[in-house]
Amino acid sequence: MTKLSLALSAILMGSASSFSMTMRAQSAPNTRREILQQTAGIATAIAIPAAANAYAVPDLNYPFEALEPYIDAPTMKIHHDKHHATYVANINKATEGKPEVDILELQLNALEAGPAVRNNGGGHYNHAFFWDEMAPPDEAKKTKPSPELEAMINKSFGSMDEMKAAFEARAAPGALFGSGWVWVCVNQKGDELKLVGTPNQDNPLMKGVLDEVMFPILGLDVWEHAYYLKYQNRRPEYVSNWWNVVNWDKVSENFAYVVEKKAGVPVRG
């Protein structure tokens, strides 16, 4: 057996059995060129797997019931396992066969990429961000803004209480009609916090959604699926109760990252 034949045999041994059966059914290659062409094709197919399922729903850092009584376990389970999972399945489908891009990087040009990437890529990023900024009430009440974040809150809103009041007003049905999110963001210069609302699964990282791209450090899902089982149409009650599960240590980490990097916060999944 020649060296070329040995090389071809070694590659074929690592390929799928279905390919081997197909090769036996076909006539053998007649020339060295044909052997090399087929060998290159096999090696390429083995070395470059399909880029399907690039994104995944991250596990929660706490049990589904951990945020009670403020967010109930059935809502958390449906929200995480059904709604978030649907966004992930759809963004994987929309990007199948394309070069893999980190979900954070995908946000900037999501509007140009079209509705499938905008809605489902945004849905994945927003929810992954959301889960990690919350903690069980007993843990959350032990957290507090860092001195740097507290100073920026006071500079931008006057006080923590004034910031919360403005946030709750922005999240009210009359101010953010329909489904969407409310965010506290760092502006492009990194010297001020901004309070904004975005519709559907848009977020401030997406170019074209707001006057400028901004970097969220805190965000609240005000889609009905986030609260309706417990609160029905009482969105303001859901919003005011949500402060009891905000992990200010995580929000402070987000703030420090954004100010240093001038970039969005990375998420799991």
Side-chain angles (χ1 to χ4, degrees):
M1 183 177 286
T2 66
K3 291 182 179 180
L4 182 60
S5 298
L6 285 170
L8 178 59
S9 296
I11 294 172
L12 287 173
M13 286 295 288
S15 63
S17 60
S18 59
F19 179 85
S20 298
M21 294 174 62
T22 301
M23 287 297 293
R24 287 196 297 269
Q26 295 175 348
S27 59
N30 296 319
T31 67
R32 177 185 176 88
R33 178 187 294 275
E34 290 174 349
I35 292 173
L36 291 174
Q37 287 175 339
Q38 290 189 0
T39 300
I42 296 165
T44 300
I46 294 171
I48 307 176
N53 299 322
Y55 309 106
V57 180
D59 293 334
L60 297 176
N61 293 323
Y62 39 79
F64 291 120
E65 68 274 12
L67 304 185
E68 290 186 342
Y70 305 107
I71 303 179
D72 58 292
T75 292
M76 285 299 297
K77 184 170 179 59
I78 294 170
H79 199 173
H80 178 270
D81 288 1
K82 302 298 183 182
H83 290 281
H84 191 175
T86 298
Y87 291 122
V88 167
N90 287 338
I91 189 59
N92 280 329
K93 182 178 179 181
T95 56
E96 186 174 1
K98 300 177 182 178
E100 186 173 336
V101 177
D102 184 83
I103 192 63
L104 174 59
E105 185 181 346
L106 201 66
Q107 302 308 298
L108 180 62
N109 296 311
L111 272 64
E112 295 179 5
V117 171
R118 177 181 186 174
N119 296 333
N120 296 294
H124 177 32
Y125 180 87
N126 294 352
H127 285 88
F129 183 100
F130 183 56
W131 308 135
D132 281 357
E133 69 183 1
M134 297 186 291
D138 289 346
E139 296 178 20
K141 70 181 180 181
K142 298 175 185 177
T143 68
K144 60 181 180 180
S146 65
E148 294 79 11
L149 175 55
E150 184 175 18
M152 188 66 78
I153 289 172
N154 292 340
K155 174 186 175 183
S156 302
F157 300 103
S159 68
M160 173 66 81
D161 287 343
E162 289 176 282
M163 187 274 285
K164 287 183 176 180
F167 189 100
E168 292 176 23
R170 189 67 185 86
L176 184 62
F177 184 76
S179 301
W181 292 73
V182 180
W183 309 90
V184 176
C185 306
V186 177
N187 67 349
Q188 280 281 339
K189 294 181 180 179
D191 62 357
E192 187 178 6
L193 296 178
K194 297 284 189 177
L195 179 60
V196 298
T198 57
N200 303 315
Q201 292 299 342
D202 288 354
N203 62 58
L205 295 166
M206 296 176 175
K207 184 171 60 179
V209 168
L210 302 170
D211 291 340
E212 65 172 320
V213 170
M214 292 187 284
F215 311 114
I217 62 168
L218 179 70
L220 176 60
D221 187 348
V222 293
W223 281 63
E224 288 186 346
H225 65 239
Y227 63 87
Y228 208 81
L229 291 182
K230 181 177 178 63
Y231 295 98
Q232 289 83 51
N233 63 328
R234 305 188 308 275
R235 186 198 288 182
E237 185 180 344
Y238 157 69
V239 176
S240 63
N241 279 342
W242 179 67
W243 298 115
N244 292 289
V245 296
V246 171
N247 181 351
W248 287 104
D249 289 346
K250 173 58 176 172
V251 179
S252 297
E253 289 178 11
N254 292 347
F255 175 72
Y257 182 92
V258 164
V259 169
E260 178 185 355
K261 304 292 186 180
K262 298 294 191 298
V265 175
V267 296
R268 298 180 298 125

